[in-house]
Amino acid sequence: MRGEGIKWALLLPAVGWILTFTVYPLLFSLLLSFRNWNLTSPPTWTGFANYVRVVQDPRMHNALRVTGLFVGATVSAELLLGFVLALLFHRPMWGIRALRAVVVAPLFTSPIALAFLGMMLFHEEDGPIAHLVRAVGFGKVHWLSDPATALGSVVLLDIWQWTPFAFLVFLAGLQGLPTEPLEAAIVDGAGRWALFRHVLLPLLAPVIVTALLFKLIYSVKVFDLAFGLTGGGPGISTEVLALYIHRQGLEFFNLGYASSLSYIFPVLVSLTCMGLVLRVRHLYERL
């Protein structure tokens, strides 16, 4: 009986923390999503009006489009580059540890610091990229002030920072693979492409799905890099979904509408992740 009491006494702080800082804010924001509240007047009940507004809001549609483009470009490029780097650095070579440390260094950069670094790199007059572009004969490129190139600039910085994450995951997967299936395929006369497609890829399928899932969730939630580098601009050309929710809640003080957007957000993330994971599993089962 005394042991039971000690067990519940040890659990109580954790339960209290979860109820106070997780369950209560979730329930409060869910209730708020059915109301209008701008902090200057009492909340008013609106039913599903905020959710109907989410479906009809053209700026919400733009945020979804920008987020989709960002996720598609960053996730595909980072996984592909990370896989190629992992294959390259999986081989023994001189200075391999130092080279691996250099490759993963961008992963430890703060996103806001990276955004300021991006402002200097993409400076239209004196940035190193502007000098390089002019040196090869091209004209001035408005990297951050042109809607056609601003999102690409954000994507490039994200790829530079997060490719090392995919590299580390794939490298760990390669180093943990059993050697027997690879050696047996080589003895049977399998070529490099057959070895890669029919042995290596199926063995790495769980690692690839895990890396895809983690990077997909992070990319859909991206906020800090777009906020720090472009502020969502020019106009709303780089306004991702998390940044739009932040503006509705903490700049325009439409707290009810921001809450309804926040509940749409995890639903979209979950559906996207489930769809992609099922699709990838189906593809690898056919290999």
Side-chain angles (χ1 to χ4, degrees):
M1 187 66 187
R2 185 179 176 183
E4 287 290 318
I6 292 174
K7 183 179 71 176
W8 287 110
L10 292 174
L11 282 175
L12 194 58
V15 173
W17 179 276
I18 293 171
L19 290 176
T20 305
F21 295 106
T22 302
V23 176
Y24 173 72
L26 282 174
L27 294 178
F28 181 77
S29 61
L30 179 62
L31 183 63
L32 197 57
S33 69
F34 295 100
R35 297 181 174 188
N36 272 342
W37 190 30
N38 57 10
L39 296 179
T40 59
S41 57
T44 55
W45 180 264
T46 60
F48 287 94
N50 284 328
Y51 289 96
V52 174
R53 183 182 169 188
V54 169
V55 178
Q56 298 173 341
D57 185 359
R59 194 160 169 175
M60 167 68 174
H61 301 162
N62 174 77
L64 281 176
R65 181 186 64 82
V66 173
T67 305
L69 290 173
F70 177 85
V71 170
T74 56
V75 172
S76 56
E78 288 161 12
L79 292 188
L80 181 62
L81 289 173
F83 192 75
V84 171
L85 286 172
L87 289 174
L88 181 64
F89 286 96
H90 180 53
R91 302 173 179 178
M93 64 176 75
W94 182 83
I96 186 67
R97 291 186 178 180
L99 290 173
R100 286 174 182 171
V102 171
V103 170
V104 301
L107 189 59
F108 303 101
T109 309
S110 162
I112 293 299
L114 183 63
F116 281 102
L117 176 65
M119 288 180 187
M120 292 186 285
L121 290 174
F122 292 115
H123 193 279
E124 296 173 7
E125 296 292 341
D126 297 321
I129 296 177
H131 286 294
L132 181 63
V133 169
R134 285 199 293 269
V136 296
F138 291 97
K140 180 189 289 186
V141 179
H142 303 281
W143 293 103
L144 301 179
S145 58
D146 187 341
T149 55
L151 183 61
S153 304
V154 180
V155 167
L156 285 176
L157 276 186
D158 191 85
I159 291 173
W160 181 77
Q161 184 182 29
W162 284 99
T163 294
F165 167 76
F167 163 70
L168 284 177
V169 174
F170 291 141
L171 184 63
L174 285 171
Q175 291 182 340
L177 287 181
T179 57
E180 291 81 3
L182 296 170
E183 292 171 351
I186 293 172
V187 171
D188 290 341
R192 289 187 176 182
W193 172 245
L195 191 68
F196 175 78
R197 185 174 184 273
H198 297 294
V199 181
L200 192 61
L201 274 184
L203 288 174
L204 278 178
V207 179
I208 294 172
V209 172
T210 303
L212 172 66
L213 197 58
F214 274 100
K215 191 60 193 69
L216 185 67
I217 292 172
Y218 172 81
S219 291
V220 172
K221 295 192 303 178
V222 67
F223 168 80
D224 36 23
L225 190 57
F227 178 78
L229 184 61
T230 62
I236 54 174
S237 60
T238 59
E239 189 179 66
V240 290
L241 192 52
L243 183 54
Y244 182 49
I245 295 172
H246 165 80
R247 283 183 167 158
Q248 285 293 336
L250 299 180
E251 292 184 17
F252 308 146
F253 295 106
N254 295 322
L255 298 181
Y257 184 52
S259 297
S260 61
L261 286 170
S262 299
Y263 274 90
I264 295 292
F265 192 72
V267 171
L268 288 175
V269 172
S270 303
L271 290 177
T272 305
C273 290
M274 288 174 59
L276 273 177
V277 169
L278 290 175
R279 178 64 179 163
V280 170
R281 269 190 189 172
H282 177 68
L283 286 174
Y284 279 107
E285 285 172 358
R286 294 173 56 186
L287 289 174

